[in-house]
Structure formats: C-alpha cells, structure tokens
Amino acid sequence: QVVVVESGGGSVQPGDSLKLSCEASGRTDMRYTMAWFRQAPGKEREFVAGLRGSVGNIYYADSVKGRFAISRGNVKNTMSLQMNSLKPEDTAVYYCAAATRTLILSSIRLVGQYDYWGQGTHVTVSS
C-alpha cells in the first residue's frame, strides 16, 4: 500500500510564491516517478511538472515553465514544487501523483499512468 500526502497550498496574491510538498510512503525499495497535476473548477486535470523515476529527468507544462520548480527531497520519494510569480490562472486543486515505475517520456503527462494520488491541496491566487 502506497500513501501519497501533499502539504502546502493556500491563498495568495498575484506575484506571490508558494511551496507544495509531497511524500509517497509505503514501498521504500523503489524510486517512483512523481508528478504534480492540477485541476481548476470545470476543467480537466492537467499535468504541471514531473520527475521521471530513477532517471531524474524533469519536465514542466509550458504554462508554468520558468515560474515553477520541482525537486526531489532529501528523503526518498519526497518532492516539492516551488511556485513563483503566481497568476490567477494557477488557481486549482494541486495533486501529487506517483507511479511505481519509470514512465516513458510520452507518458509522464498522462493522468492514467499514475498509480497513486494524494487528496489534493488548494491553491488560490486572487487580488
């Protein structure tokens, strides 16, 4: 059993920063592919950023490139998402996802490729 837990989030003004954290606990014998997705009201869940398994490659959605930074934590299967220069359109529920294998490049952005999901954390950007 793998449990994914997010922390962080909140309400901020445009231009502010927030940091989200995630931990995938359970199977400690592997390094997961981990990613952040988000879902705004009335929209589909979309990929934000991902770390590709033991390879460590990092990928971003074009909408957040240059503003968000994903990184692995010092503890295995933990990661964070530093979000800078936040915009109202970043408002969404942010989900941490974990896959128990190294996903191929073409799959890292796909919701269906992830095995475990957190409950989500709300991020609201408003003036």
Side-chain angles (χ1 to χ4, degrees):
Q1 180 70 17
V2 176
V3 177
V4 177
V5 179
E6 307 103 339
S7 61
S11 295
V12 297
Q13 295 186 337
D16 286 351
S17 299
L18 274 177
K19 185 175 182 178
L20 307 181
S21 298
C22 174
E23 178 179 4
S25 60
R27 293 186 61 177
T28 59
D29 59 333
M30 62 174 52
R31 185 175 288 273
Y32 305 139
T33 293
M34 299 180 73
W36 290 98
F37 287 76
R38 67 186 180 186
Q39 188 165 16
K43 295 188 176 181
E44 293 186 353
R45 193 168 298 188
E46 65 175 4
F47 173 82
V48 176
L51 286 165
R52 187 163 159 249
S54 59
V55 180
N57 301 118
I58 293 175
Y59 304 94
Y60 295 100
D62 288 343
S63 59
V64 306
K65 204 171 292 183
R67 300 188 298 121
F68 290 12
I70 189 172
S71 61
R72 284 200 183 274
N74 293 327
V75 176
K76 195 175 183 180
N77 296 323
T78 62
M79 70 168 179
S80 63
L81 183 69
Q82 178 67 44
M83 305 185 294
N84 300 323
S85 302
L86 283 161
K87 304 175 181 180
E89 50 263 44
D90 295 318
T91 295
V93 178
Y94 283 71
Y95 296 91
C96 178
T100 55
R101 61 200 181 283
T102 298
L103 298 179
I104 60 175
L105 178 57
S106 60
S107 296
I108 197 169
R109 292 174 170 81
L110 302 179
V111 170
Q113 294 296 312
Y114 291 84
D115 306 298
Y116 302 98
W117 292 82
Q119 292 298 307
T121 184
H122 290 260
V123 173
T124 302
V125 185
S126 174
S127 55

